[in-house]
Each structure stands twice: as C-alpha cells, then as structure tokens.
Amino acid sequence: HVQLVESGGGSVQTGGSRTLSCLASGDSDTINCAAWFRQAPGKERETVARMTIGVGGGTKHYSDSVLGRFTISQDTFDNTLYLQMDGLDSDDTAMYYCAARRLWPGCLRGTRADFTSWGQGTQVTVS
C-alpha cells in the first residue's frame, strides 16, 4: 500500500511560480508510474503531467495546456515527486492531486482509473 501526501499549494499571482511536492510512503518501491492531475470546479479531473519511475524511467508527458510551463520531476532519495509551475494564470486554478500506479505500460497515456494511489489534493489559486 502506498500513501501520498501533497503540499505546496496556495495563492499565487498571475505570472507567478509555485512548486508542489508529493511525498510517498509505505510500499513506494512498487511505484513505476507517477503523475499530477488537477480538477477545477465543474470540470473533470485531468492529467497535468506524468512520468515513468524506476530503472529506465524518466520519460515524461505533459498536457498541452501546461507544456513549456510546468515541469514534473522526482527525488528518488526522498521519495518525493515535484511539480514546478511557472507562468501561472487563472486557468491553472484547481485542486492538484498526485497519483501513482504500479505498472509501467500505459503510464503516459493510460486511463486515469489505472492510478490506484492518490493524495488528498492541494489547492492552487491563481489571481
């Protein structure tokens, strides 16, 4: 069982930057895929960024809406996933969630339902 805890959310001015963190604990060695999702009021939860984890990992995928502005990364030693957000605007306002799944295949394009571990979410408000 994997536990995920996000942190780093808050209020940011338009054009500003923010870095989110997701600390993994428990059976974190089983994670081969990790991602950031977000959900704005009245909208469906959507992929922000994904990446493969472990030996041979490091391949990344970004939503078109954040490509070039957001960066997903990991710190293996600290079991932490990061999302660096730059050039924020009002459309980025949402609850941000980190998620993980065991299997590597389909990590970057697979269905959201295949992510079996989720954090509680951290709110990012841009104004």
Side-chain angles (χ1 to χ4, degrees), residues 17-111:
S17 299
R18 196 84 173 183
T19 299
L20 306 181
S21 300
C22 175
L23 177 63
S25 60
D27 198 12
S28 58
D29 290 339
T30 64
I31 297 175
N32 287 303
C33 176
W36 287 96
F37 292 82
R38 68 184 181 186
Q39 187 168 22
K43 295 185 177 181
E44 186 175 329
R45 189 169 300 187
E46 63 178 2
T47 295
V48 176
R50 305 185 183 191
M51 70 177 297
T52 54
I53 305 294
V55 178
T59 303
K60 303 175 181 180
H61 166 78
Y62 295 94
S63 168
D64 290 341
S65 63
V66 306
L67 184 64
R69 298 188 298 118
F70 290 12
T71 302
I72 186 172
S73 63
Q74 65 161 336
D75 186 322
T76 303
F77 182 79
D78 291 331
N79 294 319
T80 304
L81 184 74
Y82 297 98
L83 182 68
Q84 181 180 343
M85 305 181 293
D86 299 314
L88 290 164
D89 58 49
S90 60
D91 291 334
D92 296 313
T93 296
M95 183 73 76
Y96 284 73
Y97 302 87
C98 65
R101 53 177 284 180
R102 181 175 180 179
L103 300 179
W104 190 337
C107 175
L108 304 183
R109 300 287 183 175
T111 178

